[in-house]
């Protein structure tokens, strides 16, 4: 293999039996920029990604891409050939979400797996980038919850715990004027956990594992700008009329002031523009409430206030 230009190398299975993509990745780890195999999907007219969490039996003669970080020899050994033998073993059901985005008749998807031992950062072998060997005006991907390295992921694996505390940035490439239709297929999620899409431009939350969300974009999208995925048992919604007159503002960048809620057990959550929760607290509201803020960088934040009267979402700027 060579690592010049993009680092992508087109290889193939030289045997008359299938070989496991995960075995290929384990043996050749030192040569690879990431432990991912990309194979063409004729049905969807795109390259799909496979890794240690989503294996592929590479058919005889089948071509596939890998990305090299160094020049060297890529090993495909006889021991990797698949053989049908042994006792049938059933894998424990894995929680996962398939996110689907349609523009007209064209569809893209990205996957989220919940696997013990993975993290909210990049896990080589369990997180995989979308294929970068060609430009695409229409693409769907996620960024890591930590959003620390800017990879556009076609597969993201997250810890199988605390799903309600993880907000997933959703990236989209689409031209201006496109009508986007979002949906989700959720499998084996914990009881009561639902999938919501947040649209920061319209300040809305829509449940997409039981329905769809449609929006027409006026500007060209190219990255993580507008949409986030929430997995929660709470009902995320627009403010109710009872909370519409509540006043929320920042005082001296150290205190959050809330006026207009009387004698209610109230939960307050504060999110960064990247969807990371930076404050979570409960308080008994009175007419004039002061909430101490942690030391936060300058920027745009979303505050969510919830009590028995409803839910209120507001944008705040900390200077």
């Amino acid at each position: 293999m060579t690592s010049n230009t993009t680092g992508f190398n087109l290889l193939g299975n030289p045997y008359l039996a299938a070989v496991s993509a995960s075995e290929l990745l384990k043996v050749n780890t030192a040569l690879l920029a990431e432990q991912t195999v990309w194979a063409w999907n004729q049905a969807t007219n795109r390259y799909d990604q496979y890794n240690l969490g989503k294996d592929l039996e590479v058919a005889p003669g089948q071509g596939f891409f890998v990305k090299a970080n160094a020049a060297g020899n890529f090993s495909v050994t006889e021991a990797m050939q698949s053989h049908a033998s042994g006792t049938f073993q059933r894998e424990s059901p894995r929680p996962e979400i398939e996110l689907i985005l349609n523009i007209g008749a064209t569809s893209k998807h990205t996957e989220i797996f919940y696997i013990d031992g993975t993290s909210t950062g990049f896990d080589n072998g369990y997180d995989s980038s979308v294929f970068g060997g060609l430009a695409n005006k229409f693409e769907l991907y996620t960024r890591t919850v930590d959003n620390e390295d800017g990879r556009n992921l076609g597969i993201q694996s997250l810890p199988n715990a605390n799903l309600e505390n993880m907000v997933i940035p959703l990236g989209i490439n689409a031209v201006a004027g496109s009508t986007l239709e979002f949906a989700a297929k959720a499998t084996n999620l914990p009881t009561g956990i639902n999938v919501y899409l947040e649209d920061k431009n319209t300040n809305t939350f829509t449940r997409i594992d039981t329905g769809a969300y449609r929006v027409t974009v006026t500007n060209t999208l190219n990255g993580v700008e507008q949409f986030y995925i929430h997995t929660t048992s709470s009902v995320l919604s627009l403010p109710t009329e009872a909370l519409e007159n509540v006043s929320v503002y920042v005082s001296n960048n150290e205190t959050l002031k809330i006026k207009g809620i009387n004698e209610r057990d109230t939960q307050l959550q504060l999110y960064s523009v990247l969807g990371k929760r930076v404050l979570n607290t409960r308080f008994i509201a009175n007419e004039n409430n002061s909430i101490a803020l942690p030391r936060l960088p300058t920027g745009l934040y979303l505050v969510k206030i919830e009590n028995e009267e409803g839910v209120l979402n507001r944008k705040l700027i900390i200077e």
Side-chain angles (χ1 to χ4, degrees):
M1 295 202 300
T2 178
S3 61
N4 59 13
T5 63
T6 64
F8 287 105
N9 287 252
L10 179 61
L11 308 178
N13 174 12
Y15 296 111
L16 296 178
V19 297
S20 166
S22 64
E23 291 298 318
L24 291 170
L25 296 173
K26 290 175 184 177
V27 170
N28 296 284
T29 299
L31 282 174
L32 300 177
E34 69 176 67
Q35 288 182 278
T36 300
V37 161
W38 293 272
W40 182 252
N41 185 332
Q42 186 173 351
T44 58
N45 198 38
R46 58 167 283 172
Y47 286 94
D48 290 340
Q49 51 281 324
Y50 301 89
N51 58 27
L52 303 183
K54 182 184 179 182
D55 198 8
L56 169 69
E57 292 295 323
V58 183
Q62 172 69 52
F64 57 90
F65 278 100
V66 293
K67 188 172 184 179
N69 63 11
N73 295 321
F74 188 92
S75 298
V76 187
T77 68
E78 292 184 5
M80 296 176 185
Q81 296 178 89
S82 297
H83 301 280
S85 63
T87 303
F88 179 78
Q89 302 285 340
R90 182 174 181 176
E91 185 180 6
S92 298
R94 176 179 63 194
E96 56 187 67
I97 301 170
E98 181 185 12
L99 301 173
I100 304 156
L101 175 60
N102 296 315
I103 297 181
T106 306
S107 181
K108 298 288 185 180
H109 74 275
T110 186
E111 295 170 298
I112 301 165
F113 301 151
Y114 294 92
I115 301 174
D116 290 334
T118 60
S119 72
T120 55
F122 182 77
D123 298 298
N124 196 14
Y126 292 92
D127 295 328
S128 290
S129 304
V130 296
F131 185 63
L134 50 85
N136 200 328
K137 291 183 179 180
F138 175 34
E139 191 58 88
L140 174 69
Y141 46 87
T142 65
R143 294 274 177 83
T144 62
V145 170
D146 288 352
N147 201 24
E148 84 288 359
D149 69 354
R151 296 179 195 243
N152 299 333
L153 301 177
I155 297 174
Q156 181 170 177
S157 296
L158 291 168
N160 191 15
N162 298 320
L163 273 66
E164 297 193 70
N165 294 326
M166 294 184 286
V167 179
I168 305 167
L170 191 61
I172 296 167
N173 297 347
V175 298
S178 300
T179 297
L180 312 180
E181 180 178 292
F182 297 87
K185 295 179 181 178
T187 307
N188 300 318
L189 293 185
T191 302
I193 294 293
N194 304 315
V195 182
Y196 285 85
L197 176 75
E198 177 187 5
D199 184 340
K200 287 190 176 293
N201 279 12
T202 60
N203 201 24
T204 58
F205 294 88
T206 304
R207 186 174 172 184
I208 58 171
D209 55 335
T210 56
Y213 175 70
R214 297 176 184 85
V215 63
T216 299
V217 294
T218 56
N219 299 317
T220 295
L221 301 182
N222 187 21
V224 179
E225 302 173 352
Q226 185 173 344
F227 302 101
Y228 294 84
I229 297 296
H230 297 254
T231 47
T232 179
S233 58
S234 302
V235 177
L236 302 180
S237 64
L238 291 171
T240 61
E241 184 177 350
L243 295 181
E244 284 182 348
N245 295 321
V246 172
S247 175
V248 183
Y249 61 94
V250 175
S251 173
N252 65 31
N253 290 335
E254 297 180 353
T255 306
L256 187 64
K257 294 286 190 178
I258 304 167
K259 295 183 178 181
I261 304 177
N262 292 315
E263 298 180 356
R264 292 286 187 273
D265 180 15
T266 300
Q267 182 177 28
L268 182 146
Q269 298 177 78
L270 187 66
Y271 294 91
S272 72
V273 71
L274 297 177
K276 183 177 181 180
R277 190 168 68 181
V278 296
L279 177 64
N280 183 23
T281 187
R282 300 190 74 92
F283 61 99
I284 302 299
N286 53 50
E287 180 60 29
N288 193 347
N289 304 273
S290 296
I291 305 296
L293 293 173
R295 187 180 297 273
L296 296 170
T298 299
L300 180 66
Y301 292 82
L302 175 68
V303 61
K304 176 186 174 187
I305 299 172
E306 183 176 7
N307 60 29
E308 62 185 19
E309 293 184 330
V311 179
L312 175 70
N313 296 295
R314 290 281 174 82
K315 293 179 181 178
L316 297 172
I317 295 177
I318 295 180
E319 299 178 347

